[in-house]
Amino acid sequence: MKKKSLVALLVCTMTLASTPVAVFADSYDDQIEAKDKQINKLKTEQADAQAQIDALTADIETVNKKVKELEAKEETLTNETLELQDTIAKLKVRIAKRQEKINAQARDTQVNGQASTFIDAVLGSDSVSEAISRVQAMSTLVGANQDLLKQQQEDEKAVEEKVQENEAKIKELAANQEELANQKEAIANQQAELKVMKASLAAEQAKTENDKKDLQAKKAAAEAEAARIKKEQEAAEKARQEAAAKQAAAAKKAQEEAAAKEKQATNTSSSSSDSKADVEESVTTPSNDDSNNGGPISTEPSTPATPSEPEEEIETPSTGTGGKDHSNSGNMYAYGQCTWYVKSVAPWVGTYWGNGAQWGASAAADGYRVDGSPEAGSVVVFGAGQMVGDWQASGAYGHVAYVQSYNASSNTITITQGGMGFSNPGGPNTQTLSASGFQYIHRY
């Protein structure tokens, strides 16, 4: 009875076989739930990033508005500066001309002297009134010169103040422009970084969603596979139950037949005992009949009726040189075992040959040819723990299989087999492996 060791680790019975699939389905659900949580987290992070981008965009708009105000102010200051520069230029020209006149008057006063000028004016007058008029005119001229000098000083001061004011405004404007430009650049950099982060989050979300779709597809495939396995298990269980029912019915029938035969044998034995007692009595008891006239007493027992012997199942002898043909004995092996499958495809094998590893000796005892030569139609026997290709037969029971074909050129056999370790316990499960090192039971 064969156990496929690798599969047996995963599947012990048909009831337990569905457990790994359920575990896998739960695992897929857990992974999908984790992906959903990750996607929701990424969406939240993207929303936060977008909120920061929107806030920075508003800040940039505010800065841009201030820049525009400064640009307008700069234009006004530029115009004012141009006007100041024009005014300063005109004042400087006026100051230069006035300075030249003042310098001429100073030279004249120094050469002629102001006092002699006044005296000449008075003495040269024809009358007192004319002299007074000339003096007043001279006083007016002196006053005008003094006003001119005062205006000159005021203009020079105004020029200096306007130049300083203009330079201060230009410096302030330049400083504000530099600060705003730096703020705008910093905000733009932050906005660019947030856009990169948002793009990365979107890419990660897309990847996570694709991973989720893959997991959902794998889950669907796992569920489909689980449904297929469950269907196969149900079919195998149904077949096993039907086989078990047939085996139970066959066993019951065999028991009834055995009981009937035992009863018949008991009755026959009882009849034989009665007949034997009658015979013994006839032999030992002398006859009281005087008709024998003293003749010898017969010691021959009367011939009793031949008792009926219990019927015995006669197995049909095989033709050729093969052993006993057990085709009529039924399949008394358990469904789902390797022995059950081989008996179902090779009914000539024995019904009570034991476990797989025992079949070689049992077949030889039944008169079959057992050797190491593979043939199509023979039964291959694997000893306890012997390798069957890439897996190992049961260390306690061994294994048997039916040889479907033999390839002499490659020295390989293709076998069909059954057993609980296969997806189809009732067989056939096909495998090709080296033909060396095994026992073969031959039909002929």
Side-chain angles (χ1 to χ4, degrees):
M1 291 185 286
K2 187 269 308 170
K3 302 285 183 180
K4 192 170 184 180
S5 56
L6 178 60
V7 179
L9 292 174
L10 297 176
V11 184
C12 295
T13 65
M14 287 186 291
T15 303
L16 296 177
S18 60
T19 302
V21 177
V23 172
F24 294 152
D26 292 341
S27 177
Y28 283 127
D29 287 338
D30 293 341
Q31 294 181 56
I32 291 172
E33 183 179 358
K35 292 298 180 184
D36 284 334
K37 291 180 180 179
Q38 186 177 356
I39 290 171
N40 291 334
K41 181 182 178 183
L42 290 171
K43 287 181 178 179
T44 302
E45 291 177 353
Q46 288 185 76
D48 292 343
Q50 185 60 52
Q52 294 181 51
I53 290 173
D54 294 340
L56 286 173
T57 302
D59 291 343
I60 290 176
E61 290 298 325
T62 301
V63 173
N64 286 335
K65 184 177 180 180
K66 289 182 179 179
V67 169
K68 289 179 180 179
E69 291 175 354
L70 283 174
E71 287 175 349
K73 186 176 180 181
E74 180 182 14
E75 184 177 359
T76 301
L77 286 173
T78 301
N79 293 332
E80 290 177 356
T81 301
L82 293 175
E83 291 177 0
L84 283 172
Q85 290 175 353
D86 182 68
T87 302
I88 290 170
K90 290 179 179 179
L91 285 173
K92 286 184 176 182
V93 171
R94 187 185 307 170
I95 289 170
K97 289 182 178 180
R98 191 182 292 122
Q99 186 67 39
E100 183 180 355
K101 187 174 182 180
I102 291 172
N103 291 336
Q105 288 180 352
R107 286 192 300 270
D108 184 65
T109 300
Q110 184 178 7
V111 173
N112 298 318
Q114 188 175 16
S116 61
T117 303
F118 277 96
I119 294 173
D120 290 340
V122 172
L123 294 177
S125 299
D126 294 334
S127 63
V128 175
S129 59
E130 183 181 358
I132 293 172
S133 297
R134 286 186 175 187
V135 170
Q136 289 178 345
M138 292 296 293
S139 297
T140 300
L141 181 60
V142 171
N145 288 336
Q146 291 177 348
D147 290 340
L148 182 63
L149 182 61
K150 183 179 179 180
Q151 185 64 42
Q152 183 79 342
Q153 292 174 347
E154 290 178 355
D155 285 346
E156 289 178 350
K157 183 177 180 181
V159 167
E160 183 178 355
E161 289 176 353
K162 289 183 182 296
V163 168
Q164 291 178 354
E165 179 184 357
N166 185 64
E167 290 178 354
K169 287 182 179 180
I170 291 175
K171 288 180 180 180
E172 179 184 1
L173 180 60
N176 289 339
Q177 284 180 336
E178 183 178 0
E179 180 181 358
L180 289 174
N182 292 335
Q183 291 180 3
K184 185 175 180 180
E185 182 180 0
I187 293 175
N189 290 336
Q190 293 180 22
Q191 187 180 39
E193 291 175 359
L194 286 171
K195 287 181 178 180
V196 171
M197 182 179 71
K198 183 180 178 182
S200 299
L201 291 172
E204 186 175 355
Q205 178 182 342
K207 181 181 181 301
T208 305
E209 289 176 346
N210 289 333
D211 292 343
K212 177 184 175 182
K213 290 179 180 178
D214 291 341
L215 288 172
Q216 289 173 334
K218 290 179 180 179
K219 177 185 176 183
E223 290 174 344
E225 179 65 11
R228 183 190 68 79
I229 292 174
K230 182 178 179 181
K231 185 176 180 181
E232 288 183 355
Q233 290 174 347
E234 290 174 348
E237 176 64 16
K238 182 178 179 182
R240 186 193 66 79
Q241 292 176 355
E242 291 176 352
K246 289 180 181 179
Q247 291 176 8
K252 183 178 179 181
K253 182 179 179 181
Q255 290 176 353
E256 291 174 350
E257 290 177 353
K261 289 179 180 181
E262 183 179 358
K263 182 178 180 181
Q264 183 179 3
T266 301
N267 293 337
T268 302
S269 176
S270 177
S271 299
S272 299
S273 298
D274 292 342
S275 299
K276 182 178 181 181
D278 293 341
V279 169
E280 289 177 352
E281 183 178 354
S282 64
V283 171
T284 57
T285 305
S287 175
N288 293 327
D289 190 356
D290 293 338
S291 62
N292 286 331
N293 296 321
I297 298 174
S298 173
T299 58
E300 294 292 331
S302 60
T303 305
T306 304
S308 60
E309 297 293 334
E311 295 181 3
E312 181 179 357
E313 181 181 351
I314 306 300
E315 298 190 28
T316 305
S318 62
T319 59
T321 59
K324 295 179 181 179
D325 187 350
H326 298 275
S327 298
N328 296 327
S329 62
N331 192 345
M332 302 305 293
Y333 297 103
Y335 172 81
Q337 300 297 335
C338 57
T339 49
W340 183 93
Y341 171 76
V342 174
K343 175 67 175 175
S344 68
V345 295
W348 50 269
V349 302
T351 301
Y352 298 103
W353 279 3
N355 297 318
Q358 299 171 303
W359 273 36
S362 298
D366 257 358
Y368 286 93
R369 177 168 58 93
V370 180
D371 56 28
S373 302
E375 288 181 0
S378 62
V379 175
V380 57
V381 180
F382 301 92
Q386 193 171 14
M387 294 302 297
V388 185
D390 57 354
W391 59 274
Q392 190 174 22
S394 167
Y397 308 113
H399 182 55
V400 288
Y402 183 75
V403 179
Q404 197 73 29
S405 63
Y406 170 61
N407 188 330
S409 61
S410 61
N411 191 33
T412 57
I413 53 174
T414 297
I415 61 174
T416 55
Q417 55 202 326
M420 294 303 295
F422 294 101
S423 59
N424 184 9
N429 301 283
T430 305
Q431 184 179 357
T432 299
L433 65 157
S434 171
S436 300
F438 307 120
Q439 281 186 329
Y440 296 90
I441 303 171
H442 302 276
R443 177 71 182 87
Y444 301 110

